[in-house]
Amino acid sequence: MDRIEPELVLKTTPPRSPKTAQVRERLSIGGPELSDKVAIAVHAPAGFGKTFLLTQWRREFLSRGAVVAWLTLDSHDDGPRFVQGLMAAMAIGSGRQSFAGSFERMPGRDELEGLTGWLAEVADLGSETILMLDEADALPEVTVRQSLAYLLHNAPANLRIIMASRSRLSLQVADLLARGLYVAIAADLLRFRTEETVTILSNRFGARIDPDLCVRLQEITEGWPLGLQLAIAAIEKSPNLGAAVEQLSACSGDIQRYFVDSLVVRLPVEQVDFLTCIALLEMVNPSLCIALTHNERAGETLLELCGSTPIFVESVNSEWVRIHPLAREFLLGRFSDLSLMQRQTFHERAAIWLEEHALFEEAARQYLLAGHTTQTYEMVEQCLYEIMLRGQFSRVLEWVEKLPAQEVESRPRMCLAAAWSLAMSDRHVEAAKLIAHLQQDPTADAETHCEAAAIAGAAAYFADRPDEILAIIGPWVEAPRSVSIKLQAIIANQIARLMLFQGHPEKARRIVQRAPHYDWTPGLDAIRGFGEWVVGMSYLSEGRILRAISALRNSLLCAEQDIGRRSPVAVALATSLATALLEHDEIQEAATVLANRLDIVERLASPDAIEMGFLTAARLAVLQSQPHRGEDLLDALFALGEDRGIVRFCLVALGEQIRMHALQGRVDTCQALWRRLDESVPDVAREQRGLLGPELGLVVGLAGAYVALVQRDWQTLLDALSNVNKTAESLRRGREIVQIKLLKALALRESGGDGLSCLLEAISLAEEYGLQRIVQDTHPELVKWSKMVTSETTRPAMQASLHAGPVVRPEPPPSSVSPSRLLTPKEREVLQLLARNLSNKQIAQALHVGEETVKWHLKNLFGKFQAGTRKHVVDRAYMLGILESAG
């Protein structure tokens, strides 16, 4: 093979893939979206892992025997030089002499002729061939439009071309798109998803980091791979990861150095000043940038920076882009160095443009920062009610804190928004004053009175007083449909939730499904979100876990996209979904769904969501070998119940502690907890009165059953189960019904009766419902018993396997060779033995061939790997991914 010049050797050598890097299973080349594409373009700014993704795909292709050629491009790759690079890449990737051709530049030679010859050689290979072009944006424009386009449109059937670039390439690929042969992968797909970030951080830090911190880092970095890498570098040496994450700042350490090096030092001064100026806003577009800077070229500058820097998140089908939070924090530090007059001028310019374009909330923020309070109040009045309807109650409460009380009360729509947000939070008592103000307003119409009643009903629900709800909204349920569709939908949601208290989940679903659809926004809002949560809760109450997961997962995805991950709507859906996932034994996903949300659950969630959130978090902590954290969470739930006067929280916390200690056989502890619980039981629970009485009675009854269980008082246990089963059936609680059957089966067996039929029925129901954890969560003895019952049918096969001889597992070789077509099968065997540092004689003996044959194969290996020594062959093979460590 002709000697390849050193520069081309470097350009055709793929970069080393870090051993600790996380393989992107979601972006596997074998996935349905990519498997049949002839051309794949990956374009994203720096720091999004484009090159790593290409190296991952390269390994995948090599593992299935494809020929893979790599070429890193630069600005010197004009037409002829580009052809030379392709020849060198294929010569190294395939090992074929014919690709070597001539590596000298031939003046006057037509590069298209060279490309045609190269394509013909690729076609002649007849095997799957992959060309990977990294940093394709560095190519001269003429090379992209002519040579690269020619390559794409004339690729033979066995060739696939994969390109990585920092910006979109100006390629005419409409025909390839129409035929389904071309796909582009942008930054949004390259961002780490929450579960990927959790996996990466868990692998890196192990037990030192919990899901809450993992998700917090995901939110800080927004899935930007380089941002996560910088954050890891900033916190990894800290003894307290939690404190390190909270103190993580873009204005210190490695993160600051990155932004200084990539922005301040590398960019022209005018572009740095532009970024500093626009940092006062989270989102910008070209027109807004022109208004801010009074520079007609500001829009062009924004577009240039979007392509050259990783700090912007582009919107789909929109001119709007968002500045990454880490970059914005860094730039705001520079913005704060401007004089007060300069800063207020920029805020005022932004506010005027935003008001003109009806972006009232952001305009209000800018007016406030500019010191214009009157305009601030006017803007807030324009948008606060819509913010509430969208389900962003925490944002409403933030504005309420900033505004004078008289301003809120004097503006009706602002007053309604504030009342709703207070009612649906831990501050529901404060809503009463605003509700009274609305009801006493002499100018209020029937619509306002109806909405005030609905707010009062919501406040009663958040106070866990469901019996008051019907009395409050009852007159409006029976009244003619003279109120708006919006209020009809709200009242339907409240009635549907009351149906669950009454044990009618199917009626709850029907009410939500038949309720008028208040269609004021294309995305999910608070009204529809709450309705979808009720539907998910109806399946969950029935114990139909698979249906609950399906419904809640889809709704949560919409809520996170449309409202926000930590919005009250998303948090309510997340607590229910995490509960269902835990019941289905999907522990990791349940922990990820619930992570970094419990603080919002405590402040802005309903009693049902709070109960599920704390209970599920406590159970997850125990399963993750953190029993003390589980106890702390249950104690916190009990304290929350005492603080707010919500007895349900106290009973649930004590009942769960009794169950946990009963499974460990702690009799005295269970009795002590039972005495505390018994003292807290209200009359409505003892007498099963009202809507909440049966709910509380179920909690108390199951806790009493576990006390009898740990005391091994089987008759008392059977009596307790008989009573509590009536309540569970009246409420249609599927999980509790199965749990009661399991406990009954155990009590019958231990008391000398026949509990087998009861056990089998419970297991059958659990399988049908998707209650994967119910047996082990009910009692460990049931796990052993159910396994023994199940093994009866498989015992003959097990006995046969016991008589079989021991399975001899050969020790894995120290290295493995990918089935790359660069090497023949015999050359792969020689390379594997060479990696074990065997001599020619030892290799010949192992392969049962002569030493001359081994020398001949080694000569071929030296040529194909461009190596001069045996060790050099092995090193090159490892570097190219042909040879891999077996471990």
Side-chain angles (χ1 to χ4, degrees):
M1 183 180 292
D2 293 350
R3 188 69 182 172
I4 303 174
E5 62 181 88
E7 183 185 353
L8 287 177
V9 171
L10 293 175
K11 286 163 64 70
T12 55
T13 301
R16 180 176 299 173
S17 178
K19 290 185 177 180
T20 57
Q22 179 70 29
V23 173
R24 309 292 298 274
E25 298 289 350
R26 171 172 58 86
L27 297 174
S28 170
I29 200 65
E33 297 84 3
L34 301 175
S35 60
D36 60 344
K37 303 304 180 190
V38 170
I40 301 173
V42 183
H43 57 85
F48 277 88
K50 302 181 298 296
T51 299
F52 170 73
L53 184 59
L54 262 60
T55 62
Q56 173 185 316
W57 288 344
R58 180 176 177 276
R59 290 165 65 92
E60 291 183 51
F61 281 123
L62 286 172
S63 70
R64 65 194 202 193
V67 172
V68 185
W70 182 284
L71 182 59
T72 301
L73 300 164
D74 58 44
S75 59
H76 300 296
D77 288 318
D78 57 11
R81 183 67 171 175
F82 180 57
V83 175
Q84 284 186 315
L86 294 178
M87 290 179 176
M90 280 303 298
I92 291 175
S94 69
R96 285 185 60 156
Q97 293 273 356
S98 55
F99 279 107
S102 172
F103 295 105
E104 296 180 2
R105 301 189 69 156
M106 299 176 62
R109 182 182 177 183
D110 183 2
E111 62 265 21
L112 294 185
E113 182 183 342
L115 284 172
T116 303
W118 185 88
L119 289 168
E121 288 285 347
V122 171
D124 188 55
L125 278 176
S127 57
E128 185 181 21
T129 305
I130 314 300
L131 173 62
M132 293 191 161
L133 302 174
D134 197 16
E135 300 184 23
D137 55 294
L139 279 174
E141 186 67 22
V142 66
T143 307
V144 173
R145 285 188 286 103
Q146 294 181 8
S147 301
L148 185 54
Y150 182 83
L151 203 64
L152 290 173
H153 288 88
N154 295 277
N158 64 319
L159 177 64
R160 299 176 69 178
I161 300 170
I162 299 175
M163 305 160 285
S165 61
R166 292 194 176 189
S167 57
R168 290 179 182 271
L169 300 174
S170 55
L171 286 165
Q172 299 298 322
V173 291
D175 57 331
L176 297 176
L177 271 169
R179 291 152 55 196
L181 302 178
Y182 178 91
V183 67
I185 295 177
D188 278 349
L189 276 177
L190 295 176
R191 292 182 186 280
F192 288 134
R193 293 181 178 173
T194 302
E195 58 271 18
E196 292 174 319
T197 298
V198 170
T199 300
I200 291 168
L201 293 171
S202 298
N203 291 341
R204 184 67 171 265
F205 295 106
R208 290 182 63 202
I209 197 163
D210 60 34
D212 283 357
L213 288 181
C214 293
V215 173
R216 180 75 185 108
L217 280 172
Q218 166 72 9
E219 292 171 350
I220 290 172
T221 61
E222 293 194 335
W224 178 30
L226 180 58
L228 183 63
Q229 182 180 330
L230 292 169
I232 289 172
I235 68 171
E236 63 182 346
K237 294 179 182 178
S238 173
N240 185 337
L241 289 183
V245 170
E246 290 305 315
Q247 295 167 8
L248 191 64
S249 172
C251 298
S252 62
D254 292 336
I255 301 178
Q256 183 186 41
R257 282 191 290 275
Y258 171 77
F259 285 122
V260 169
D261 293 344
S262 65
L263 298 180
V264 178
V265 174
R266 189 173 63 83
L267 297 177
V269 174
E270 58 271 16
Q271 289 190 347
V272 176
D273 291 342
F274 169 79
L275 288 171
T276 302
C277 166
I278 68 171
L280 75 164
L281 294 161
E282 292 182 13
M283 296 188 70
V284 293
N285 70 13
S287 173
L288 176 53
C289 290
I290 292 171
L292 264 177
T293 61
H294 287 181
N295 182 347
E296 291 299 323
R297 290 199 68 256
E300 298 171 23
T301 303
L302 176 65
L303 294 177
E304 290 171 9
L305 289 169
C306 284
S308 61
T309 66
I311 68 170
F312 292 102
V313 182
E314 298 185 53
S315 301
V316 180
N317 300 323
S318 170
E319 290 186 319
W320 286 94
V321 297
R322 187 163 50 82
I323 307 174
H324 192 283
L326 285 175
R328 184 165 179 254
E329 181 190 355
F330 170 78
L331 293 169
L332 280 173
R334 298 178 63 86
F335 181 79
S336 65
D337 293 335
L338 301 176
S339 70
L340 176 62
M341 183 176 294
Q342 285 178 301
R343 295 199 305 272
Q344 288 186 332
T345 299
F346 284 127
H347 287 307
E348 185 174 355
R349 289 175 184 174
I352 292 170
W353 188 95
L354 292 163
E355 181 183 358
E356 289 174 352
H357 290 78
L359 298 169
F360 299 119
E361 185 184 12
E362 194 54 48
R365 288 200 183 96
Q366 298 304 319
Y367 274 129
L368 190 63
L369 292 168
H372 303 318
T373 54
T374 302
Q375 290 95 326
T376 300
Y377 302 153
E378 291 172 356
M379 294 300 100
V380 174
E381 184 178 19
Q382 293 280 347
C383 65
L384 203 63
Y385 191 81
E386 282 70 26
I387 296 171
M388 178 278 299
L389 275 183
R390 205 172 289 278
Q392 293 162 330
F393 304 123
S394 54
R395 277 167 55 185
V396 174
L397 294 176
E398 286 173 11
W399 278 114
V400 170
E401 292 295 326
K402 295 175 183 177
L403 302 174
Q406 62 270 23
E407 289 291 338
V408 174
E409 294 177 10
S410 64
R411 302 171 189 262
R413 285 176 64 81
M414 196 184 290
C415 187
L416 282 168
W420 270 117
S421 301
L422 288 167
M424 300 182 72
S425 73
D426 59 343
R427 300 169 61 182
H428 48 81
V429 175
E430 297 176 46
K433 179 182 177 183
L434 293 179
I435 295 169
H437 179 78
L438 290 166
Q439 292 172 329
Q440 293 165 9
D441 185 353
T443 64
D445 55 11
E447 180 88 359
T448 302
H449 283 288
C450 178
E451 188 158 3
I455 296 171
Y461 173 50
F462 272 70
D464 209 27
R465 298 195 297 269
D467 290 295
E468 297 178 13
I469 300 174
L470 193 55
I472 294 171
I473 65 172
W476 299 100
V477 175
E478 302 301 328
R481 293 180 179 267
S482 57
V483 296
S484 65
I485 289 177
K486 173 191 67 180
L487 286 177
Q488 291 178 42
I490 290 172
I491 291 172
N493 283 341
Q494 293 184 341
I495 295 298
R497 181 61 191 94
L498 293 179
M499 289 297 104
L500 292 183
F501 278 113
Q502 294 173 355
H504 301 304
E506 73 291 340
K507 288 184 180 179
R509 287 193 291 272
R510 194 182 314 122
I511 289 171
V512 171
Q513 291 160 1
R514 293 182 178 180
H517 181 59
Y518 180 54
D519 189 12
W520 72 283
T521 179
L524 195 71
D525 61 8
I527 299 173
R528 213 177 93 215
F530 188 80
E532 292 186 8
W533 176 72
V534 171
V535 170
M537 281 287 291
S538 72
Y539 289 123
L540 194 56
S541 69
E542 290 177 312
R544 298 167 64 185
I545 299 302
L546 297 178
R547 290 298 301 270
I549 290 175
S550 176
L552 292 165
R553 188 180 270 151
N554 293 336
S555 298
L556 178 59
L557 182 62
C558 293
E560 290 180 338
Q561 291 174 344
D562 298 336
I563 312 176
R565 187 181 187 278
R566 283 166 60 82
S567 66
V569 174
V571 165
L573 290 163
T575 57
S576 300
L577 178 58
T579 301
L581 288 168
L582 179 57
E583 294 292 350
H584 199 50
D585 207 23
E586 298 179 38
I587 296 171
Q588 185 57 59
E589 187 180 354
T592 301
V593 165
L594 199 56
N596 199 33
R597 281 178 161 135
L598 216 54
D599 59 321
I600 302 295
V601 170
E602 184 174 335
R603 292 189 296 110
L604 296 172
S606 67
D608 305 283
I610 292 173
E611 175 192 330
M612 287 185 296
F614 275 84
L615 201 57
T616 301
R619 289 177 176 175
L620 285 169
V622 173
L623 291 172
Q624 294 165 344
S625 302
Q626 298 176 328
H628 295 299
R629 182 168 182 268
E631 289 278 356
D632 290 343
L633 286 166
L634 293 174
D635 287 342
L637 180 60
F638 183 90
L640 198 61
E642 287 191 318
D643 288 345
R644 298 189 190 175
I646 299 180
V647 70
R648 190 201 322 194
F649 295 166
C650 300
L651 299 182
V652 167
L654 293 172
E656 178 63 11
Q657 289 183 39
I658 288 172
R659 184 193 69 86
M660 289 166 54
H661 289 294
L663 298 188
Q664 302 296 323
R666 297 165 181 157
V667 179
D668 291 344
T669 303
C670 288
Q671 288 177 331
L673 288 167
W674 173 254
R675 286 192 291 271
R676 287 178 59 195
L677 185 148
D678 191 49
E679 292 171 359
S680 305
V681 178
D683 291 339
V684 293
R686 296 186 191 280
E687 300 168 10
Q688 303 277 303
R689 284 190 288 107
L691 293 177
L692 197 58
E695 184 100 14
L696 301 181
L698 186 60
V699 174
V700 174
L702 284 170
Y706 270 103
V707 173
L709 173 64
V710 77
Q711 293 173 329
R712 304 185 70 79
D713 186 344
W714 306 118
Q715 189 54 53
T716 301
L717 174 57
L718 287 170
D719 293 341
L721 292 174
S722 177
N723 292 329
V724 77
N725 186 62
K726 295 176 185 176
T727 305
E729 288 184 345
S730 70
L731 293 175
R732 300 275 298 278
R733 295 300 178 83
R735 182 195 185 278
E736 285 78 5
I737 289 170
V738 174
Q739 183 181 22
I740 290 165
K741 289 184 185 300
L742 289 169
L743 290 171
K744 180 180 177 182
L746 184 61
L748 288 171
R749 188 188 74 165
E750 294 299 318
S751 61
D754 179 17
L756 182 59
S757 61
C758 197
L759 175 70
L760 293 175
E761 182 179 349
I763 292 174
S764 175
L765 286 171
E767 290 176 351
E768 180 181 336
Y769 290 161
L771 292 161
Q772 301 293 333
R773 290 198 55 84
I774 188 71
V775 175
Q776 62 200 95
D777 285 345
T778 301
H779 200 276
E781 284 297 321
L782 289 164
V783 178
K784 299 176 185 177
W785 188 13
S786 61
K787 285 182 178 178
M788 184 177 66
V789 170
T790 305
S791 68
E792 293 294 332
T793 57
T794 58
R795 187 172 296 169
M798 292 174 59
Q799 289 175 342
S801 65
L802 289 173
H803 291 297
V807 177
V808 179
R809 292 182 173 83
E811 293 185 5
S815 59
S816 61
V817 183
S818 70
S820 169
R821 293 183 184 272
L822 173 63
L823 307 179
T824 66
K826 190 59 72 175
E827 287 169 353
R828 291 200 290 269
E829 293 179 5
V830 171
L831 178 61
Q832 189 170 19
L833 295 170
L834 192 64
R836 292 169 60 181
N837 204 28
L838 300 185
S839 65
N840 287 359
K841 183 176 181 180
Q842 290 171 319
I843 294 174
Q845 289 174 346
L847 299 179
H848 305 292
V849 297
E851 284 191 56
E852 290 301 318
T853 303
V854 173
K855 290 179 182 177
W856 183 78
H857 286 307
L858 284 175
K859 179 182 176 182
N860 289 338
L861 289 173
F862 286 150
K864 290 181 177 181
F865 286 110
Q866 296 289 298
T869 65
R870 296 160 64 93
K871 184 177 184 303
H872 195 188
V873 168
V874 173
D875 290 343
R876 288 278 294 169
Y878 273 120
M879 183 183 67
L880 293 171
I882 305 296
L883 193 62
E884 299 179 351
S885 299

